[in-house]
Amino acid sequence: MHVVPLPALADNYIWLLHDDSGHAVVVDPGDAFPVETALKARGLVLGAILLTHHHHDHIGGVDGLLSHHDVPVYAPRDERIGRATHRVDDGDIVTLDAPAARFEVIAVPGHTTSHIAYAGEGVLLCGDTLFSMGCGRLFEGTPAQMLSSLDRLAALPGNTLVCCAHEYTAANGRFAQTIEPSNRALATRQHEVSALRAHNRPTLPVSLATEQATNPFLRTDSEEVIAWSRRQGIDGDRVARFAALRANKDVFTG
Ligand SMILES: [Zn+2]
């Protein structure tokens, strides 16, 4: 399966997955135009749409795509998403014929209450839950929910390619380096990210193993994160450390 990030809107990626026979699936099409352009340029036939959550920058292109393509739309059970043919929830399996693909649905509440992720074919389609070196804002869920969601994603195989829905990597990395300044894997990754962004190239997908080594939100038990938390006056458990990380990132402007 080919895995292609399509830049869309301000800083979104719509993920396009396609096989060698020209069948494609798109994930979170916030805008139909870049999808139509990519399908035409690559000679692909759209086979399905997958949605992770209800935010407009993830679903805004669905109506436009459905006016030209009669395809199934998989989405979480949330009435804020109007157009869906298949409602899926935690533990469901999405099986597609063209492209031939199989994804497990993982409920990941936190950014929104009904957010889901799709894992399969060597990739993780995680919407706004896991970002490279960061995670989504807690608009509807609690820190405990989000940490539990991230724990489930972090338990996938390390060679899984993480397909995040925004290009937030460079800013996330700058924040991460304030938390774990001695993390060499993080410094290496941030160096690579700077070079990619200097050429306006995507920093994604990224392996889950790299995230486990560099993302402070997956590293609440690391010595540096624990030490940072103590300096913030937090001597609680990893949920408290996660909540402090998220609250500090919310106001980080570096
Ligand atoms: Zn969102």
Side-chain angles (χ1 to χ4, degrees):
M1 195 79 86
H2 303 270
V3 181
V4 183
L6 305 178
L9 305 171
D11 48 28
N12 285 69
Y13 289 125
I14 299 167
W15 288 93
L16 174 75
L17 312 181
H18 71 89
D19 60 16
D20 287 327
S21 67
H23 295 280
V25 52
V26 288
V27 186
D28 284 358
D31 184 3
F33 181 75
V35 178
E36 296 287 12
T37 303
L39 293 173
K40 193 172 291 182
R42 294 166 183 263
L44 302 173
V45 176
L46 186 62
I49 298 169
L50 306 183
L51 304 177
T52 65
H53 69 294
H54 74 278
H55 286 157
H56 189 72
D57 61 319
H58 295 253
I59 67 172
V62 171
D63 284 349
L65 289 173
L66 290 179
S67 68
H68 295 104
H69 309 272
D70 182 17
V71 298
V73 180
Y74 295 83
R77 290 198 176 84
D78 190 320
E79 60 190 22
R80 296 173 293 188
I81 298 173
R83 297 288 292 273
T85 59
H86 296 68
R87 298 288 178 173
V88 292
D89 208 339
D90 191 53
D92 288 345
I93 303 294
V94 173
T95 306
L96 306 177
D97 292 333
R102 183 179 185 281
F103 300 99
E104 181 187 355
V105 177
I106 304 172
V108 285
H111 178 67
T112 70
T113 51
S114 62
H115 200 307
I116 57 174
Y118 301 87
E121 308 301 321
V123 303
L124 169 64
L125 303 155
C126 52
D128 288 352
T129 296
L130 175 61
F131 292 123
S132 186
M133 298 187 277
C135 73
R137 283 178 185 264
L138 304 184
F139 287 124
E140 299 177 4
T142 65
Q145 280 180 317
M146 188 61 144
L147 183 58
S148 170
S149 295
L150 291 172
D151 283 345
R152 293 188 65 190
L153 300 185
L156 293 167
N159 62 357
T160 302
L161 291 179
V162 182
C163 300
C164 318
H166 288 275
E167 181 59 71
Y168 290 159
T169 311
N172 286 343
R174 287 194 292 276
F175 174 74
Q177 288 191 296
T178 70
I179 307 299
E180 291 193 289
S182 302
N183 182 335
R184 291 175 64 179
L186 171 56
T188 300
R189 167 74 169 146
Q190 186 66 348
H191 192 71
E192 292 166 357
V193 164
S194 298
L196 288 167
R197 295 311 295 154
H199 296 92
N200 202 30
R201 289 171 57 192
T203 62
L204 304 166
V206 58
S207 77
L208 187 58
T210 296
E211 287 309 300
Q212 288 159 339
T214 60
N215 189 328
F217 295 93
L218 302 185
R219 297 172 53 76
T220 48
D221 290 324
S222 89
E223 282 182 29
E224 273 196 286
V225 171
I226 292 169
W228 173 85
S229 297
R230 291 220 174 99
R231 290 197 298 276
Q232 309 298 307
I234 289 149
D235 205 15
D237 60 7
R238 58 195 293 271
V239 174
R241 294 195 288 274
F242 176 82
L245 283 173
R246 187 58 262 177
N248 274 263
K249 178 64 171 62
D250 284 346
V251 297
F252 180 73
T253 55

